[in-house]
């Protein structure tokens, strides 16, 4: 049973982590992630890198969709804007990577106003369709602007530097992504526990009441879009680094659906949920392919590895299963289990 | 009589052919408790929504503290001292009691996106101060035990109390309560009546309330305003109103129907 949980100051009540023992766990986890590329095989760190950058994007989407309740299928569009901005600035103009990622986020955030303003009056399905249209327009513009983006051929990301040092290996990109994710987690948690995050929650749960409490719906919805797009743009920038060759085929609807699956599986509105979802949805296609390979090889003729069809089916199944059986996502399940064990043996199991 | 805090004059709202509020006029003085009563569908909630700028008025004027309220947006009212509760619970379901009340303090806090993301000094101090104040409200409403519970787990009476606390977070000068005690038991009702009187006596808050519970209305109101089918039919002290034949008629007509 967890003890010493009584708070003595108001400052303690506003802490990020209420128990100092939790810090120990998170520091240990961070240390393990830092050590991983040094001790583990490369394919493992490559895989974890995918998860790190997906987690940044999932936290971003979870702000607009989970916290503020504004359904977005425009994730792929913001990723594309971030990825192309990064590719152009680093490779064509020799920008340093750190400012580039910030600019990628800002360009994406600015573009979010284009979709945010028209969608202020829309909800649910209509908003989903508007944001989807946005991402289609973005990829179309990228194809048109061939002089800048390479058009339908795509664009290589060749020259990247951090503080003047060239960044080539997957390992260095891994550490950049890890740093970005840690900053993202802190930023998102801080936002969600302070005034702006509470305003988002209020808009999602009861917008009329939110207005009466002094929350300007227009302003805070646009904030949600902008912050979400900023993080997603940065995630897109990270993806450009490790993909090394970007093309609009990497930013189709399935990418937006993938991100929605992540936050649904992990838990809407929760930073931990977004990370859990990013882990699960990133490894799921590979796990299921491996399972099918070993178990049903003789029964099915398997589609090509990692094919869009397989992914699409898996995401759809996950979204349906979670909406039906675990609508609050894994993060809520985690909270229930944690409460049970931290009160054990005095507590009672709660659904 | 002192200068009025809220002055409603000729306020009118039509929904298609239906005149939901027809020429409503009344005053609320600072520190006064005014009840709006009337049968179901009389237009009481519509009147509240007009004052709160959730509906736009078809005619009439609303002045608050010398300002023309009709020139304000709904989200600006908290900042100038008007707060309300809703007839149907309007809590932020996914939040805890404390989180709901902190939202009530929104217009009095300042941190924006950047300050919030970095949670630097001023933002942190502001959060700590806000927590202190929320604790004061929690103590006032005697809901210490439930402060960190999700509001979705609370009983109806407690949720109503949290909603009152959230409205108090804005530090209102005029508090508008829409059927606060409906669905509450006797004890909870008496608690709320006591809170309303304390709010007036200790903090000088004026209260405009819609209420069906006649005991509460008669016991604590300074003035009562009666609507029937959108039309004001009487106003005055509780004693004057309760002996007014038009009022008795409206209510008997309703219970006979
Ligand atoms: N948004 C709206 N659109 C159309 N008609 C409305 C709207 N809001 C209220 N009305 C109508 O206006 C009339 C007054 O409704 P209102 O909710 O103000 O009554 P009320 O006095 O609060 O009743 P109750 O005691 O049942 O809460 C009703 O006939 C209602 O159907
Ligand atoms: Mg009503």
């Amino acid at each position: 049973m967890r003890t010493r949980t009584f708070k003595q100051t108001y400052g303690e009540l506003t802490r990020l982590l209420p128990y100092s023992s939790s810090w120990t766990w998170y520091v240990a986890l961070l240390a393990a992630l830092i050590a991983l590329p040094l001790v583990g095989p490369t394919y493992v760190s490559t895989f974890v890198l995918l998860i790190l950058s997906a987690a940044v994007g999932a936290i971003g989407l979870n702000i607009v969709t989970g916290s503020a309740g504004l359904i977005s299928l425009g994730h792929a569009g913001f990723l594309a804007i971030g990825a192309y901005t990064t590719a152009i600035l680093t490779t064509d103009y020799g920008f340093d990577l750190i400012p580039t990622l910030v600019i990628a986020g800002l360009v994406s955030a600015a573009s979010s106003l284009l979709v945010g303003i028209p969608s202020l009056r829309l909800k649910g399905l209509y908003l989903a369709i508007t944001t989807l249209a946005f991402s289609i327009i973005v990829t179309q513009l990228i194809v048109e602007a061939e002089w800048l983006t390479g058009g339908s051929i795509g664009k290589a990301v060749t020259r990247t530097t951090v503080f003047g040092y060239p960044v080539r290996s997957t390992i260095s990109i891994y550490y950049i992504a890890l740093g970005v994710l840690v900053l993202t987690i802190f930023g998102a948690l801080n936002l969600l526990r302070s005034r702006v995050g509470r305003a988002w929650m209020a808009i999602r749960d009861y917008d009329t009441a939110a207005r009466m409490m002094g929350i300007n719906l227009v302003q805070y919805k646009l904030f949600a879009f902008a912050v979400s797009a900023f993080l997603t743009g940065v995630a897109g920038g990270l993806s450009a680094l490790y993909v090394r060759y970007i093309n609009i085929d990497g930013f189709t609807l399935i990418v937006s659906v993938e991100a929605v699956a992540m936050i649904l599986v992990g838990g809407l509105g929760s930073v931990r949920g977004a990370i859990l979802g990013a882990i699960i949805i990133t490894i799921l296609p590979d796990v299921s392919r491996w399972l099918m390979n070993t178990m049903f090889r003789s029964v099915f003729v398997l589609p090509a590895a990692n094919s869009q069809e397989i992914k699409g089916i898996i995401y759809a199944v996950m979204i349906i299963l979670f909406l039906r059986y675990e609508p609050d996502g894994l993060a809520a399940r985690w909270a229930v289990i944690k409460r049970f064990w931290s009160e054990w043996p005095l507590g009672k199991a709660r659904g | 009589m002192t200068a009025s805090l809220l002055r409603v004059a000729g306020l009118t709202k039509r929904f298609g052919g239906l005149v939901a509020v027809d020429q409503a006029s009344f005053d609320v003085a600072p520190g006064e408790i005014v009840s709006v009563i009337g049968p179901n569908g009389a237009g009481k909630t519509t009147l509240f929504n007009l004052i709160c700028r959730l509906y736009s008025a078809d005619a009439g004027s609303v002045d608050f503290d010398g300002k023309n309220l009709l020139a304000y947006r709904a989200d600006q009212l908290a900042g100038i001292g008007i707060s309300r509760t809703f007839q149907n619970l309007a809590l932020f379901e996914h939040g805890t009691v404390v989180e709901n009340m902190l939202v009530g303090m929104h217009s009095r806090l300042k941190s924006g996106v950047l300050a919030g993301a970095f949670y630097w000094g001023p933002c942190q101090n502001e959060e700590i101060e806000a927590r202190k104040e929320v604790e004061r409200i929690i103590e006032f409403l005697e809901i210490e035990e439930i402060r960190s519970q999700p509001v979705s787990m609370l009983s109806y009476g407690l949720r109503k109390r949290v909603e009152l606390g959230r409205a108090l977070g804005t530090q209102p000068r005029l508090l508008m309560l829409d059927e606060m005690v409906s669905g509450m038991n006797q004890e909870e009702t008496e608690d709320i009546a006591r809170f309303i009187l304390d709010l007036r006596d200790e903090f000088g808050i004026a209260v405009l309330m819609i209420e069906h519970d006649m005991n509460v209305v008669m016991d604590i109101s300074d003035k009562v305003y009666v609507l029937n089918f959108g039309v004001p039919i009487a106003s005055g002290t509780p004693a004057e109103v309760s002996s007014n034949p038009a009022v008795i008629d409206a209510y008997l007509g309703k219970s006979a129907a």
Side-chain angles (χ1 to χ4, degrees), chain A residues 318-329:
Chain A
M318 291 300 278
I319 288 175
I320 291 167
L321 285 181
F322 269 79
L323 281 180
R324 175 72 183 79
Y325 295 106
E326 193 79 61
D328 293 332

Side-chain angles (χ1 to χ4, degrees), chain A residues 182-202:
Chain A
V182 169
L183 285 178
T184 302
I185 291 172
F186 273 105
L189 285 176
N190 282 338
L191 265 179
L192 294 182
R193 68 170 163 156
S194 56
R195 178 170 174 264
V196 176
R198 285 192 299 265
W200 288 334
M201 173 199 82

Side-chain angles (χ1 to χ4, degrees), chain A residues 122-153:
Chain A
L122 305 175
K123 280 186 179 165
L125 188 60
Y126 299 101
L127 182 56
I129 291 171
T130 310
T131 51
L132 172 62
F134 165 79
S135 71
I136 292 172
I137 292 169
V138 166
T139 40
Q140 204 51 45
L141 287 178
I142 288 172
V143 175
E144 300 292 328
E146 206 173 332
W147 53 275
L148 187 66
T149 61
S152 51
I153 298 165

Side-chain angles (χ1 to χ4, degrees), chain B residues 39-46 87-88 178-179 210 212:
Chain B
N40 291 108
K44 306 179 296 292
T45 299
T46 305
Q87 181 170 357
N88 306 311
D178 194 344
E179 300 202 18
I210 296 172
H212 278 302

Side-chain angles (χ1 to χ4, degrees), chain B residues 13-16 18-21 36-49 55 87-88 178-179 210 212 227 229-230 254:
Chain B
K13 179 70 185 175
R14 293 184 202 90
F15 293 114
L18 174 83
V19 187
V21 174
V36 178
I37 64 171
N40 291 108
K44 306 179 296 292
T45 299
T46 305
L47 176 64
F48 264 36
N49 288 342
Y55 293 160
Q87 181 170 357
N88 306 311
D178 194 344
E179 300 202 18
I210 296 172
H212 278 302
L227 281 181
F229 294 111
K254 172 205 160 207

Side-chain angles (χ1 to χ4, degrees), chain B residues 24-37:
Chain B
S25 304
F26 62 93
D27 281 12
V28 181
E32 201 172 37
I33 299 176
V34 177
S35 291
V36 178
I37 64 171

